[in-house]
Amino acid sequence: MVFNSFLFLLLFFNLESAFRALPVHAHVQNLNPNASSLLAGIEIPNLSTFNGVSSSQDCDFTSPEKPEELTEPQPVKLQLKHRSSGQPTMPRKESLLESAASDFTRIHTLHKRILEKKTRKTLQKPKKTDHKLAGKLKSGEAESPVPETFAGKLMGTLKSGVTLGSGEYFMDVFVGTPPKHFSLILDTGSDLNWIQCKPCYDCFEQTGPHYDPTQSSSYRNISCHDPRCSLVTSPDPAPRCKPESESQSCPYFYWYGDSSNTTGDFATETFTVNLTTNVDGHKLNHREVKVENVMFGCGHWNRGLFHGAAGLLGLGRGPLSFASQLQSLYGHSFSYCLVDRNSNSSVSSKLIFGEDKGLLSQPELNFTSLIGGKEAPVDVFYYVHIKSVIVAGETLDIPEKTWDLSSDGFGGTIVDSGTTLSYFADPAYNIIKKSFMEKITRFALVNDFPILEPCYNVSGIPDYKKDLPSFGIVFNDGAVWNFPVENYFIKLEPEEVVCLAVLGTPRSALSIIGNYQQQNFHIMYDTKKSRLGFAPTRCADV
């Protein structure tokens, strides 16, 4: 069984992930007070940048004293539920192997994307990009929104994919008119939002029904003549865009790996989240906030290891991502806080769009610079620059050039919510692994455990954490990210074995700080100031 699992990892060495901005519009309308919502938590006091906000008369929204002056956009806090199971579930060997297989596939594909971007040798013939349009979307420029100020909480869910055999985190989204619920993988490593659509000619198994565009009054195909069509890559060979047909849809193709991809129609749709208005801390009523004209892919041919999800929600730096498309509403920053993956269903975490003053006032908040512009080979990823690694207080002797981005696009480090474990380029990984093995002497080494190493038998030792060395990353600008033991050692049940939750990649591949190391840290992505923030936080308390 172990040997077969290892072969499975070797066979699957190819996948990826998804997200950015366009003129979007938000509307508010009544929710049935008796209807239960699958979404949970967002705070939007005095938000002024919704495009065309409408509401019923019983909305207790405030208006600015000077309508001609825009108030500062306030953050939107989405509650992120962790899992659907009622009890904590420790990781098991089988689920870890599958997550590692998915990670290896993803890493290989991310590297291929970088190589293709750098050499301009893509698998398809890309359309000529409308750089002027893409530049406006990246900067958050859009049609001027109608000034409107209101207060409230926007509620959503983000949960772990562990119960579905996935290492990713899932977000509940309502799409269409009337809104229908879909569970999408949250991904900071790609910028296309997409959902499996009817008719589904070739689709993977998902939880719940496929999205049906014919049942939504707000669905709109983007024409192949529309300038926005240049933001996606066409299938190869690309269908001819007939000059006499204004209604011909814009086809897209997005590749994740040798067997993972999505193809369909590029379109716009209304995405809905829940709004709860409050006065002096007392809950008044519930409403829906509808964000219109969100660009997404309506996928009719979809393949890949997506573990029951309906599709992907992109949070990358590219102009198509959900984060980018919300920039005209909430500015250029978003953050999330991922709860412990072993917590039960009563524990939740947050996804926040906009500047979170609570996080900015956190005394343990650190910032490191994001690498962008000409230095970053692909503008979708969030690159950071590692300088050194510290184990048990000792700075390891890893050549600094190991972490550099080379002129041909190889190397570098990204922070990625769609990768489960963390991966460091060789020879850095080998030096890190050797250091841990030299410093851990109390526990018996487990040599026959596949994939991860070193692994140790901690059976009957409840205080094992205190004997595991500390671990931290030092960035090129001096910022330091120290991790708690549970973020870099993973305990597997029922074996009662702990393993270093770090793996190696070839020198030419990316280094990745995955979501396992991000647990119980509030992570902030600020593209305007080009920085990544991180603060140790009990995410359940955010």
Side-chain angles (χ1 to χ4, degrees):
M1 174 63 185
V2 169
F3 181 71
N4 289 338
S5 299
F6 184 72
L7 285 180
F8 174 72
L9 282 174
L10 296 179
L11 289 173
F12 283 92
F13 201 80
N14 273 16
L15 205 166
E16 209 247 80
S17 32
F19 334 161
R20 205 133 214 195
L22 179 75
V24 292
H25 306 276
H27 294 269
V28 181
Q29 67 178 198
N30 288 332
L31 256 179
N32 181 351
N34 297 320
S36 61
S37 174
L38 293 175
L39 295 177
I42 293 190
E43 294 183 1
I44 325 176
N46 301 321
L47 181 63
S48 63
T49 53
F50 270 104
N51 300 16
V53 176
S54 63
S55 65
S56 57
Q57 292 183 352
D58 64 340
C59 287
D60 188 20
F61 293 162
T62 60
S63 298
E65 294 180 2
K66 297 179 180 180
E68 69 277 6
E69 295 183 6
L70 295 180
T71 60
E72 183 181 356
Q74 299 297 309
V76 176
K77 298 185 179 181
L78 294 95
Q79 185 174 336
L80 310 178
K81 292 185 67 178
H82 177 62
R83 64 170 75 249
S84 58
S85 59
Q87 299 296 327
T89 304
M90 295 301 292
R92 302 185 73 87
K93 184 188 299 184
E94 294 78 14
S95 63
L96 176 64
L97 288 172
E98 190 164 353
S99 292
S102 178
D103 281 351
F104 279 126
T105 296
R106 180 182 180 87
I107 292 167
H108 187 57
T109 305
L110 293 178
H111 175 64
K112 277 194 171 184
R113 283 194 178 278
I114 293 171
L115 188 61
E116 289 169 358
K117 177 81 172 182
K118 194 71 179 177
T119 61
R120 301 184 184 277
K121 294 179 181 179
T122 58
L123 297 180
Q124 315 85 30
K125 297 178 181 178
K127 292 189 179 82
K128 184 178 180 181
T129 300
D130 187 336
H131 295 287
K132 186 175 181 181
L133 173 63
K136 286 183 177 181
L137 298 179
K138 287 183 182 181
S139 64
E141 294 178 18
E143 298 174 359
S144 298
V146 178
E148 192 86 23
T149 302
F150 60 91
K153 278 191 174 182
L154 196 61
M155 297 192 174
T157 64
L158 182 71
K159 52 195 173 187
S160 167
V162 168
T163 56
L164 297 175
S166 171
E168 296 98 351
Y169 282 78
F170 287 65
M171 181 174 177
D172 288 329
V173 177
F174 289 87
V175 180
T177 306
K180 300 292 179 64
H181 168 257
F182 299 95
S183 188
L184 306 181
I185 293 173
L186 196 74
D187 188 6
T188 60
S190 59
D191 71 338
L192 177 69
N193 312 301
W194 61 270
I195 303 175
Q196 295 202 114
C197 287
K198 290 184 177 181
C200 235
Y201 300 113
D202 185 9
C203 291
F204 54 85
E205 185 178 352
Q206 74 175 58
T207 302
H210 296 143
Y211 165 77
D212 188 349
T214 65
Q215 299 300 308
S216 173
S217 61
S218 52
Y219 174 85
R220 299 289 184 274
N221 268 327
I222 292 176
S223 166
C224 61
H225 297 284
D226 192 307
R228 291 173 293 180
C229 190
S230 67
L231 298 175
V232 293
T233 302
S234 292
D236 189 15
R240 177 173 171 267
C241 187
K242 301 175 182 178
E244 68 278 5
S245 175
E246 291 297 325
S247 61
Q248 185 178 348
S249 65
C250 171
Y252 77 90
F253 174 82
Y254 203 89
W255 178 80
Y256 293 92
D258 289 345
S259 61
S260 301
N261 54 71
T262 175
T263 303
D265 297 316
F266 194 39
T268 64
E269 186 52 288
T270 296
F271 282 54
T272 303
V273 283
N274 191 22
L275 178 74
T276 303
T277 56
N278 291 266
V279 171
D280 297 328
H282 299 291
K283 183 161 56 174
L284 294 179
N285 45 38
H286 299 276
R287 283 168 180 73
E288 292 175 340
V289 171
K290 295 182 177 294
V291 184
E292 297 179 345
N293 296 330
V294 175
M295 294 180 289
F296 83 113
C298 184
H300 302 295
W301 295 267
N302 315 288
R303 292 184 176 185
L305 301 173
F306 297 109
H307 299 289
L312 276 80
L313 188 73
L315 289 177
R317 299 184 79 169
L320 297 178
S321 83
F322 195 66
S324 298
Q325 295 191 59
L326 291 185
Q327 282 184 359
S328 62
L329 306 180
Y330 304 113
H332 294 254
S333 67
F334 72 92
S335 63
Y336 55 70
C337 204
L338 304 178
V339 296
D340 183 348
R341 294 175 58 80
N342 302 322
S343 58
N344 61 37
S345 60
S346 65
V347 181
S348 61
S349 56
K350 303 291 188 298
L351 172 64
I352 303 169
F353 288 101
E355 188 176 83
D356 181 21
K357 289 182 170 56
L359 173 59
L360 292 174
S361 64
Q362 231 264 38
E364 295 185 83
L365 176 65
N366 275 283
F367 284 105
T368 188
S369 299
L370 291 171
I371 299 174
K374 294 181 179 179
E375 294 179 272
V378 178
D379 58 5
V380 171
F381 303 149
Y382 295 99
Y383 280 93
V384 291
H385 193 167
I386 293 177
K387 179 181 180 180
S388 58
V389 169
I390 300 174
V391 175
E394 175 189 343
T395 300
L396 302 186
D397 188 19
I398 301 173
E400 289 190 24
K401 64 180 181 180
T402 304
W403 309 109
D404 291 345
L405 267 170
S406 66
S407 58
D408 55 7
F410 293 155
T413 304
I414 65 172
V415 181
D416 183 24
S417 70
T419 302
T420 304
L421 304 177
S422 289
Y423 296 80
F424 294 115
D426 294 332
Y429 165 68
N430 291 325
I431 295 173
I432 294 169
K433 180 178 67 173
K434 180 181 178 183
S435 178
F436 274 104
M437 295 179 72
E438 290 175 346
K439 291 175 172 57
I440 298 175
T441 58
R442 180 182 178 185
F443 312 116
L445 191 66
V446 179
N447 293 311
D448 60 347
F449 195 87
I451 308 305
L452 295 182
E453 60 175 333
C455 294
Y456 298 93
N457 185 346
V458 295
S459 176
I461 309 175
D463 62 345
Y464 70 89
K465 291 183 182 180
K466 70 180 182 63
D467 287 313
L468 295 175
S470 61
F471 178 60
I473 293 172
V474 180
F475 294 99
N476 204 46
D477 51 13
V480 180
W481 195 345
N482 291 312
F483 301 95
V485 169
E486 54 270 22
N487 282 34
Y488 57 93
F489 269 93
I490 184 169
K491 186 177 183 182
L492 300 167
E493 300 289 2
E495 292 90 350
E496 291 197 78
V497 168
V498 295
C499 297
L500 183 64
V502 172
L503 286 168
T505 61
R507 174 62 186 89
S508 60
L510 284 170
S511 292
I512 300 176
I513 300 175
N515 64 48
Y516 200 86
Q517 276 192 266
Q518 298 176 43
Q519 294 174 96
N520 281 317
F521 278 90
H522 201 149
I523 314 293
M524 176 182 179
Y525 299 80
D526 184 346
T527 56
K528 187 172 185 178
K529 295 183 179 179
S530 193
R531 60 183 184 172
L532 177 86
F534 48 93
T537 308
R538 275 186 52 85
C539 290
D541 297 336
V542 174

